[in-house]
Amino acid sequence: MAITVQEIAEKLQLSKSTVSKALNNASDVNENTRKMVVDEAIRMGYNLKNLKTQAKKRLCIFIENMDYDNIEQFAYEIILGFKSEALQNNYDVDIVPFTMNNKTKYKYDDYLLDNKYSGGFLLGFSFHDSFIQQLNNTIYPTVLLDNYIDNENVAWVGTDSYEGIQKAVNYLISQGHTKIALLNGGYNSRVSHERFYAFHAAMADHNLTVPDELIGRGDYTENCAERIVPGFLKYDVTAIVCANDKMAFGAIRELRRLGKSVPEDVSIIGYDNLPLASYTYPALTTIHQSRLELGKAAFFVLQKIFDGIPINKMLLKPRLIIRDSVSCIIKEK
Amino acid sequence: MAITVQEIAEKLQLSKSTVSKALNNASDVNENTRKMVVDEAIRMGYNLKNLKTQAKKRLCIFIENMDYDNIEQFAYEIILGFKSEALQNNYDVDIVPFTMNNKTKYKYDDYLLDNKYSGGFLLGFSFHDSFIQQLNNTIYPTVLLDNYIDNENVAWVGTDSYEGIQKAVNYLISQGHTKIALLNGGYNSRVSHERFYAFHAAMADHNLTVPDELIGRGDYTENCAERIVPGFLKYDVTAIVCANDKMAFGAIRELRRLGKSVPEDVSIIGYDNLPLASYTYPALTTIHQSRLELGKAAFFVLQKIFDGIPINKMLLKPRLIIRDSVSCIIKEK
């Protein structure tokens, strides 16, 4: 049964006309009243199609090198979380998939100005990217997923890599593994550097040093595993920590191709906990990133930058999800 | 001129009775309406004494080893920022200065339960403290200033130590200093560990290694400088990075006692940018922590934990404040 303006008005003890004005984004409605009404309308299940959001405020999500079309993909829930919070706070959100074209065509600040955006959320950009370099001087509040820029208007949102890699390494070691390799992402993303240092730190906590040959520099795609995993096997690794689930899927596929079974011969831990991770064979043990919450956090951080709070980093807690891709080899020792 | 209920009602396009009810915290006023009204009343300068806050929600600030009675002191603005945000969001806030007594008398969760607090903000607690150890298992949303607990209900709020120490070291090196010592705080606080590693990392960025003798383990008090600074001089340091302003004040005093002048003989950089820092002689070059914003961020993080967002860390950006306690020695080289 559809929620009516009348019901919202009663719930909020406001006049029906005020609620109606608010939902239609009339200019003579106080901003706080409008936000409260829309907020409550959404909570009560009011049909959002009836919501006129000619919002004065607009935000832009720039995305590159990341899939977000369906829930199976990494960025999908992040964008969903960001958009839902933004809508409830009277922001319109556009998604701009960036190609080299757009980037050469536009300067970041010019693009936001010309399109009347008040801030941006950037996902998947390469650290050395000319476009992202412009962020060093942007005057627009901007949030980056897993990347860092030294500018008071730009903040980093992500999951704590040190804690995540530490949980992965500690778990492997608790299962008797000591010859552990890291299949890392490309170093054009700041987060890859963090996972690299975090891996060495976590191993060092157990007095284990890691030879360079056990650090593989991938690119976060499934295919890069083919190039890197065979090298690990020369060193009799019993476990591989992958910097994302896609590379973990690739590692499992490549190990199978080489006649190795997971987890009997080699244990695998992923990072992200994509929905697919529970359906692979073996089901993937991985580090969970709360993607919906990451998107919400990104919006909150953007708001706080608007409020003049100089946020550098907002990091969420990772969680170890134990499935079937890690074997306990303590008996074998 | 005092703001009247009528004026608030007109501004918000609400009935005078609704506004009056909201300000008097009547039970039959919708929570969102109430928040909006109090929010606007505060913005318009409505006399808060007239505000009946028999708030249902209560928060507690626990503080130890920290001064907060006046604006000269480190915690004062942090608490002010937290309280102002809390009040605007209909929370009552109590401040509980903790002594060993209280701590043995009460378990953390029992204390919050018995006093109907829905969450806590802890400042200045020692990392090994039995009381803070209870936080490993607390079910109450809790925010720590500069400390870490591995619990989804507990978040860390602070200023990014890596960026702060890096800015200090980079500035000293830009002025020709290479023999740089760190006067650190006690290692019972997690942030001291971060500043220790950050110092080594920042020096390493310039291919400089730091002998153990140039790392002083203080306790964040002015007096500890007397014990540590003489040791630094044996190694002809030209600059000292202090992990807080108080130790920097102590270092300046001790150097003067030893017949050394700041910055001619030894340069000093502090951390915090206490109000006093601009009045010392020489005026202290230091790393600014936005304390009011830290307090606001702490409240905001607490709210997000209530919303189920597993926040691990919220770090603000530090800023280098250049005054007179660092000399340029490039010509002397």
Side-chain angles (χ1 to χ4, degrees):
Chain A
M1 189 201 72
I3 297 296
T4 66
V5 169
Q6 182 61 45
E7 290 168 302
I8 299 168
E10 284 163 9
K11 178 80 183 298
L12 295 176
Q13 297 151 3
L14 295 174
S15 73
K16 194 173 165 184
S17 69
T18 303
V19 170
S20 169
K21 279 182 183 175
L23 293 174
N24 290 287
N25 207 47
S27 57
D28 63 337
V29 175
N30 170 280
E31 189 52 33
N32 291 329
T33 313
R34 223 196 51 68
K35 178 191 170 337
M36 175 187 68
V37 169
V38 172
D39 221 41
E40 193 59 41
I42 290 173
R43 236 193 311 275
M44 292 172 71
Y46 181 73
N47 185 346
L48 293 178
K49 289 207 197 64
N50 304 338
L51 206 59
K52 304 274 182 309
T53 51
Q54 296 108 1
K56 293 149 218 89
K57 301 179 290 181
R58 304 178 64 211
L59 296 174
C60 190
I61 297 177
F62 298 94
I63 184 159
E64 184 177 64
N65 313 319
M66 262 192 202
D67 304 322
Y68 60 96
D69 316 326
N70 66 67
I71 194 159
E72 295 300 322
Q73 299 172 317
F74 180 74
Y76 180 87
E77 283 187 89
I78 296 175
I79 289 175
L80 189 67
F82 185 90
K83 286 188 74 168
S84 70
E85 286 298 326
L87 176 62
Q88 291 187 51
N89 289 275
N90 188 34
Y91 281 89
D92 279 342
V93 178
D94 295 335
I95 301 181
V96 178
F98 254 57
T99 66
M100 295 315 277
N101 257 354
N102 299 82
K103 273 177 291 180
T104 48
K105 200 164 83 227
Y106 262 123
K107 291 238 172 295
Y108 181 73
D109 281 21
D110 296 345
Y111 189 89
L112 268 60
L113 181 66
D114 296 351
N115 297 279
K116 300 190 172 51
Y117 293 119
S118 41
F121 177 33
L122 276 61
L123 297 88
F125 279 75
S126 299
F127 191 57
H128 297 302
D129 195 295
S130 69
F131 182 76
I132 214 168
Q133 291 309 317
Q134 297 177 27
L135 295 173
N136 288 317
N137 310 311
T138 185
I139 61 169
Y140 282 97
T142 300
V143 174
L144 308 181
L145 177 70
D146 285 340
N147 245 327
Y148 169 78
I149 291 287
D150 183 7
N151 175 338
E152 291 236 337
N153 300 316
V154 183
W156 165 339
V157 168
T159 302
D160 192 310
S161 292
Y162 279 86
E163 203 172 0
I165 294 294
Q166 188 181 47
K167 285 177 188 289
V169 168
N170 289 352
Y171 175 62
L172 286 173
I173 286 172
S174 74
Q175 301 303 301
H177 298 274
T178 54
K179 284 212 157 203
I180 307 171
L182 171 68
L183 175 46
N184 202 2
Y187 291 169
N188 51 5
S189 167
R190 181 68 167 254
V191 76
S192 304
H193 292 266
E194 289 221 323
R195 289 173 190 174
F196 171 83
Y197 290 117
F199 184 69
H200 278 286
M203 294 291 278
D205 287 345
H206 299 276
N207 304 313
L208 293 169
T209 55
V210 185
D212 296 345
E213 295 78 6
L214 295 193
I215 304 290
R217 181 170 171 170
D219 57 11
Y220 291 116
T221 68
E222 203 166 330
N223 291 336
C224 69
E226 295 172 17
R227 174 168 55 82
I228 296 162
V229 168
F232 290 159
L233 295 182
K234 294 202 196 98
Y235 293 84
D236 308 321
V237 298
T238 64
I240 302 173
V241 175
C242 304
N244 76 350
D245 285 351
K246 279 184 174 178
M247 293 192 290
F249 300 149
I252 291 173
R253 193 184 58 194
E254 177 62 12
L255 285 164
R256 191 166 294 134
R257 200 181 63 76
L258 296 167
K260 301 285 185 183
S261 58
V262 177
E264 293 74 9
D265 299 321
V266 180
S267 293
I268 297 288
I269 288 191
Y271 204 104
D272 289 346
N273 193 29
L274 294 177
L276 198 58
S278 54
Y279 298 108
T280 54
Y281 178 77
L284 187 66
T285 292
T286 186
I287 300 298
H288 177 74
Q289 292 204 61
S290 304
R291 293 184 292 282
L292 201 65
E293 290 70 17
L294 268 177
K296 292 180 175 185
F299 175 78
F300 300 139
V301 167
L302 205 49
Q303 275 190 311
K304 292 306 158 188
I305 301 174
F306 288 136
D307 296 346
I309 296 180
I311 296 173
N312 193 36
K313 271 187 189 178
M314 161 86 108
L315 298 179
L316 302 192
K317 291 182 189 280
R319 223 165 51 236
L320 171 68
I321 307 294
I322 298 177
R323 297 199 181 94
D324 310 325
S325 62
V326 172
S327 64
C328 178
I329 61 174
I330 287 173
K331 290 176 219 58
E332 301 169 19
K333 285 174 88 176
Chain B
M1 191 201 71
I3 298 296
T4 66
V5 169
Q6 182 60 45
E7 291 169 303
I8 298 168
E10 284 164 9
K11 178 81 184 297
L12 295 178
Q13 297 151 2
L14 295 174
S15 74
K16 194 174 166 185
S17 68
T18 303
V19 170
S20 169
K21 279 183 184 175
L23 293 175
N24 291 287
N25 206 47
S27 58
D28 63 337
V29 174
N30 170 279
E31 188 53 31
N32 290 329
T33 313
R34 220 193 54 66
K35 179 193 168 334
M36 175 187 69
V37 169
V38 172
D39 222 40
E40 193 59 40
I42 290 172
R43 239 193 308 276
M44 294 172 69
Y46 182 72
N47 185 346
L48 294 178
K49 289 206 198 64
N50 304 338
L51 206 60
K52 305 271 181 310
T53 51
Q54 296 109 358
K56 293 150 220 85
K57 300 179 289 182
R58 304 178 65 210
L59 297 174
C60 189
I61 297 178
F62 298 94
I63 185 159
E64 185 179 62
N65 313 319
M66 262 192 203
D67 304 321
Y68 60 97
D69 315 325
N70 66 67
I71 193 160
E72 295 302 322
Q73 300 173 317
F74 180 73
Y76 180 87
E77 283 187 87
I78 296 175
I79 290 176
L80 189 67
F82 185 90
K83 286 186 74 169
S84 71
E85 285 296 321
L87 176 62
Q88 292 187 51
N89 289 276
N90 188 33
Y91 282 89
D92 279 340
V93 178
D94 294 334
I95 302 181
V96 178
F98 255 58
T99 66
M100 296 313 281
N101 258 353
N102 299 80
K103 274 178 287 182
T104 47
K105 199 162 86 232
Y106 263 121
K107 292 237 172 294
Y108 180 73
D109 282 21
D110 297 345
Y111 189 88
L112 268 63
L113 181 66
D114 297 351
N115 296 280
K116 302 191 170 48
Y117 293 119
S118 40
F121 178 32
L122 276 60
L123 297 88
F125 280 77
S126 300
F127 191 58
H128 297 303
D129 195 294
S130 68
F131 182 76
I132 214 170
Q133 291 309 317
Q134 298 177 28
L135 295 173
N136 288 319
N137 310 311
T138 185
I139 61 169
Y140 283 98
T142 300
V143 174
L144 308 180
L145 176 70
D146 285 339
N147 246 327
Y148 169 78
I149 292 288
D150 183 8
N151 176 337
E152 291 235 337
N153 300 316
V154 183
W156 164 339
V157 167
T159 301
D160 193 308
S161 291
Y162 280 87
E163 205 175 356
I165 294 293
Q166 189 181 46
K167 286 177 187 288
V169 168
N170 289 352
Y171 175 62
L172 286 173
I173 287 172
S174 75
Q175 300 304 300
H177 299 273
T178 54
K179 284 210 156 206
I180 306 171
L182 171 68
L183 175 46
N184 202 2
Y187 291 168
N188 50 6
S189 167
R190 181 67 167 254
V191 76
S192 304
H193 292 267
E194 290 220 323
R195 290 175 188 172
F196 171 83
Y197 290 117
F199 184 69
H200 278 286
M203 294 290 279
D205 287 345
H206 299 276
N207 304 311
L208 293 170
T209 55
V210 184
D212 296 345
E213 296 76 7
L214 295 194
I215 303 290
R217 181 170 172 170
D219 58 12
Y220 290 114
T221 68
E222 204 167 328
N223 291 334
C224 67
E226 295 171 16
R227 174 169 54 82
I228 296 160
V229 169
F232 290 159
L233 296 183
K234 293 202 196 99
Y235 293 83
D236 308 321
V237 299
T238 63
I240 303 173
V241 174
C242 304
N244 77 348
D245 285 353
K246 278 185 177 178
M247 293 192 290
F249 300 149
I252 291 173
R253 193 183 58 193
E254 176 62 11
L255 284 163
R256 191 167 293 132
R257 199 182 64 76
L258 296 166
K260 301 285 185 184
S261 57
V262 177
E264 293 74 8
D265 299 323
V266 181
S267 293
I268 298 288
I269 288 191
Y271 205 104
D272 289 347
N273 193 29
L274 295 177
L276 198 58
S278 55
Y279 298 108
T280 54
Y281 178 79
L284 187 67
T285 291
T286 186
I287 300 298
H288 177 75
Q289 292 204 61
S290 304
R291 294 184 293 281
L292 201 64
E293 290 72 17
L294 268 176
K296 291 180 176 184
F299 173 77
F300 152 71
V301 166
L302 204 49
Q303 274 190 311
K304 294 310 156 195
I305 301 175
F306 288 135
D307 296 345
I309 296 183
I311 296 174
N312 193 35
K313 270 187 190 179
M314 161 84 107
L315 299 178
L316 301 193
K317 290 183 189 280
R319 221 164 54 234
L320 172 68
I321 307 294
I322 297 178
R323 296 199 182 94
D324 311 325
S325 62
V326 172
S327 63
C328 178
I329 62 174
I330 287 174
K331 291 175 217 62
E332 302 169 16
K333 285 177 86 176

